[in-house]
Amino acid sequence: FSAPLELAYARLRLAENQTLIRVAAVLALLLAVGRGGQQILLHVWSRVELGQYAVALLVSVVLVAVAFSPWFERGYLKLAQVIVPIRNIAVAITVASTASRGHLESLMLLPLLVIGPFFVLGLHYRAALVTVALTGFAYVAAAAGVGLELPLTVQSVALLSLVAVACGVVAQHLDRVSRRSFLESHVIAELATRDALTGVKNRRVFDQQLDGLWHQAVVQRCVLAILLID
């Protein structure tokens, strides 16, 4: 889309997915708090891992705050494109580090790091794709750095890749369908407001504009003039 149309599309998608984004942000925060609290009480994490967890927790709090703020439509998408990758990278590194010490249940978080950006956090397809790619690279690098067993690394990376490919294909299809639907509705709305012969705005638009201008003139106590040209 052109820049103005892309902006209108992004705002519409955010408005449609606002409830889903809020629920997902809250659930992600609760999961981070619950999982982190459990690991801290069991003294499983090292200081480095606690630092990574603090980053992920802080980002989750910020995401929830913006999702419920009055600046949601204006600021959420720009912020989410930055902080969601940061959170995913921090969680991926922590998962690799925790799994290397035998806590394999943490690997269950890997599919969530793919599903979230593609479907429930409101990111554009390309932004979600970049986020998932960075997550995968971070996990592979962390697994190699902490000495995660090679068979386990191969299996977890294969699972992560499989989920990423499946989600990527589905998300791309849904993005195309959504854009096509938006474009069709936009064209239909434009045709409904213009005269087919002259291309000029029709009587329906005139009535809508006149009603708004009339109330504005009453409130501001100013003169309202109408010029008719045939």
Side-chain angles (χ1 to χ4, degrees):
F1 293 152
S2 60
L5 198 59
E6 184 68 28
L7 180 60
Y9 173 73
R11 288 179 176 176
L12 179 64
R13 286 293 307 275
L14 279 179
E16 292 177 344
N17 297 328
Q18 185 175 17
T19 301
L20 178 62
I21 291 171
R22 287 177 172 177
V23 171
V26 170
L27 290 178
L29 177 60
L30 293 177
L31 179 62
V33 171
R35 179 65 180 172
Q38 179 185 14
Q39 299 299 312
I40 292 173
L41 290 176
L42 295 176
H43 302 287
V44 173
W45 282 342
S46 64
R47 292 184 179 181
V48 175
E49 291 169 338
L50 285 175
Q52 296 166 357
Y53 168 70
V55 171
L57 184 62
L58 177 61
V59 169
S60 298
V61 171
V62 172
L63 204 63
V64 170
V66 177
F68 284 90
S69 72
W71 307 281
F72 173 77
E73 291 188 5
R74 290 179 295 175
Y76 174 82
L77 193 57
K78 294 180 180 178
L79 185 64
Q81 290 175 347
V82 176
I83 66 176
V84 171
I86 294 175
R87 183 180 67 179
N88 268 31
I89 290 172
V91 174
I93 294 174
T94 305
V95 167
S97 179
T98 305
S100 67
R101 294 196 301 273
H103 299 277
L104 303 183
E105 69 279 359
S106 61
L107 295 175
M108 293 188 297
L109 294 176
L110 292 178
L112 298 180
L113 298 180
V114 176
I115 296 173
F118 274 125
F119 297 116
V120 297
L121 292 176
L123 297 182
H124 289 166
Y125 175 75
R126 291 181 181 178
L129 197 62
V130 171
T131 299
V132 171
L134 291 175
T135 302
F137 288 138
Y139 176 75
V140 172
V146 299
L148 185 63
E149 295 179 1
L150 184 59
L152 185 58
T153 300
V154 172
Q155 292 176 4
S156 57
V157 170
L159 175 62
L160 184 62
S161 302
L162 182 63
V163 175
V165 170
C167 289
V169 171
V170 174
Q172 185 180 38
H173 172 71
L174 293 178
D175 183 66
R176 289 179 178 178
V177 172
S178 177
R179 287 178 177 274
R180 187 182 301 115
S181 176
F182 169 78
L183 192 59
E184 290 174 352
S185 63
H186 185 79
V187 171
I188 291 174
E190 185 68 15
L191 292 175
T193 60
R194 289 187 180 274
D195 178 74
L197 179 62
T198 62
V200 188
K201 295 290 187 179
N202 58 23
R203 175 63 184 269
R204 179 183 303 173
V205 180
F206 171 79
D207 290 339
Q208 294 174 351
Q209 294 293 327
L210 179 61
D211 185 60
L213 290 173
W214 180 268
H215 289 293
Q216 183 179 353
V218 171
V219 172
Q220 297 180 354
R221 296 184 179 182
C222 61
V223 177
L224 182 65
I226 300 178
L227 177 64
L228 301 179
I229 300 178
D230 192 345

